[in-house]
Amino acid sequence: MTSRTHARRLHRFVPVLLAVALLAACRGGDAPPPTDDPAAQSIVDAALQADAPWVAALDTRVAALDDAMPGRFGVYVRHYGAQPGTLDRGDDRAWYLSSTIKIPVAIAVLEQVDAGTLSLDETLTLAQTDFVDGSGDMLEHKPGETFSIAALLEKSLRDSDSAATDMLIRKVGEDHLNARIRDWTGGGFGPVTTILQVRYDAYDPVHPGVAQLDNMAIVRLRNADAGEPRLQALAQELGVPRADLDADTLESVFDAYYRGDRNTATLPAFATVLDRLAAGELVSADSTRRMLDHMRAISTGDRRISAGLPPDTDFAQKTGTQLRRACNVGVIDPGRAREGATLVLACAEDFDDITQAETAFQGLGRALGDTVLDAEGG
């Protein structure tokens, strides 16, 4: 039985799985201390407090952004420095991460590079089965071309290339990736899958034939506009009438997928990954530098938090976008780590148009500049 067929047959148990996932999210996992160094742990504990002067001011600004945006806007901010503190508006629940999962994927790869079990110069061969829709240029290349691990990491992080990401996930293995995430965080993440698997998991409940479609059929769906045209395109790929699809709207298809726990995390759990990355606790100094440099140079963040931040702010970030879902996570002043960095995680959901989410992200950037960053500078 393929994993896609297995996922479809388990769909009837999604409500039970969801209840378990939400319970785990509310507990936030049994997160271990991010460091065994008591002095460092004291710094982390201080930053987890919510009584810094900037917290209330930022909370008011974010609440207004949340009220103005259709849907929900979850935000988590942790600041280290002279006024350490945390604002947590993540609602003690898991949020869908979309392409921000490419951060833990890259960390898992670089762990193996540091351990000597992978090399940045090692090449992987692009197969037709690797193609998946999304950002980046891998769809413009031909099967049989080779790419180094280093090149795939750059494409995944900087350009959010999903084919490059899936090649890396298959190299390290999904089970290994998820085990490592649990080790880094202690809990709070749902299972992370390939980007292609997201598409199959979303469409599988719509028709039993989806599991037999090859990946290029899934890729071709991107040629149809989101909404009813895409469902009609799916019916065409399946060779069935549109009426045979168990789907009223494309939004309802993805809403059902989002109710599961795959590719989700609580914002504090993801903050732990960013915190430990910037602090140099997950990968070597060279690998940390490589990751942060790629995250500083992403090509997908111009309309989000960075657009509202003060000019020349050092922001290492990653974005993610899917139907009525968007996230932007990162570290401001990552080189200062626990001496002055700011962890920022924001996810928007159930908006009507991506521009509404982008307005909220940009507003968050301005609010950060006016509150926590301004307070620190003063």
Side-chain angles (χ1 to χ4, degrees), residues 2 37 60 77 128 136 142 168 189 197 228 263 307 338 360-361:
T2 67
D37 181 349
T60 298
V77 177
Q128 182 162 300
K142 297 183 181 301
L168 293 172
F189 271 75
Q197 189 64 45
E228 180 59 26
N263 301 296
R338 294 184 184 135
F361 289 126

Side-chain angles (χ1 to χ4, degrees), residues 174-192:
E174 278 189 30
D175 289 345
H176 175 81
L177 169 62
N178 284 290
R180 296 307 297 138
I181 293 172
R182 288 191 296 273
D183 288 342
W184 303 331
T185 63
F189 271 75
V192 172

Side-chain angles (χ1 to χ4, degrees), residues 38-289:
Q41 185 59 45
S42 178
I43 294 172
V44 174
D45 291 341
L48 290 173
Q49 303 306 306
D51 56 358
W54 58 265
V55 174
L58 182 58
D59 186 34
T60 298
R61 294 280 294 270
V62 175
L65 294 171
D66 192 6
D67 289 343
M69 190 198 81
R72 288 165 293 280
F73 190 47
V75 171
Y76 183 98
V77 177
R78 186 193 307 171
H79 176 67
Y80 293 101
Q83 296 191 28
T86 293
L87 171 67
D88 184 355
R89 293 181 58 91
D91 296 334
D92 294 324
R93 45 154 288 201
W95 294 76
Y96 184 72
L97 301 174
S98 54
S99 286
T100 63
I101 61 102
K102 293 167 184 175
I103 290 176
V105 170
I107 294 171
V109 171
L110 287 169
E111 270 193 332
Q112 293 197 1
V113 170
D114 291 340
T117 55
L118 282 181
S119 166
L120 290 171
D121 295 327
E122 180 180 346
T123 59
L124 302 181
T125 301
L126 177 67
Q128 182 162 300
T129 53
D130 290 320
F131 289 123
V132 59
D133 61 290
S135 303
D137 67 358
M138 289 294 280
L139 279 171
E140 300 172 14
H141 292 273
K142 297 183 181 301
E145 292 186 46
T146 59
F147 299 86
S148 68
I149 296 289
L152 293 172
L153 281 169
E154 179 173 344
K155 288 177 179 293
S156 175
L157 288 173
R158 295 194 182 203
D159 301 328
S160 204
D161 195 297
S162 295
T165 303
D166 281 4
M167 291 172 72
L168 293 172
I169 292 175
R170 282 188 279 273
K171 183 63 177 177
V172 299
E174 278 189 30
D175 289 345
H176 175 81
L177 169 62
N178 284 290
R180 296 307 297 138
I181 293 172
R182 288 191 296 273
D183 288 342
W184 303 331
T185 63
F189 271 75
V192 172
T193 73
T194 64
I195 308 300
L196 181 60
Q197 189 64 45
V198 171
R199 301 345 183 205
Y200 280 107
D201 287 343
Y203 291 122
D204 265 347
V206 172
H207 191 278
V210 168
Q212 280 70 54
L213 292 178
D214 66 23
N215 65 304
M216 295 310 296
I218 300 298
V219 169
R220 286 191 293 271
L221 296 180
R222 72 179 185 144
N223 296 325
D225 291 338
E228 180 59 26
R230 192 159 298 173
L231 291 177
Q232 292 177 4
L234 177 60
Q236 184 175 358
E237 292 290 348
L238 291 165
V240 301
R242 165 64 178 88
D244 284 2
L245 302 187
D246 185 13
D248 294 328
T249 65
L250 187 66
E251 289 79 6
S252 68
V253 170
F254 276 84
D255 284 345
Y257 172 72
Y258 297 141
R259 287 193 290 272
D261 66 339
R262 291 187 169 197
N263 301 296
T264 66
T266 65
L267 300 187
F270 206 143
T272 296
V273 174
L274 295 177
D275 179 38
R276 300 194 69 188
L277 171 65
E281 294 181 352
L282 298 183
V283 290
S284 69
D286 284 346
S287 291
T288 298
R289 189 178 308 110

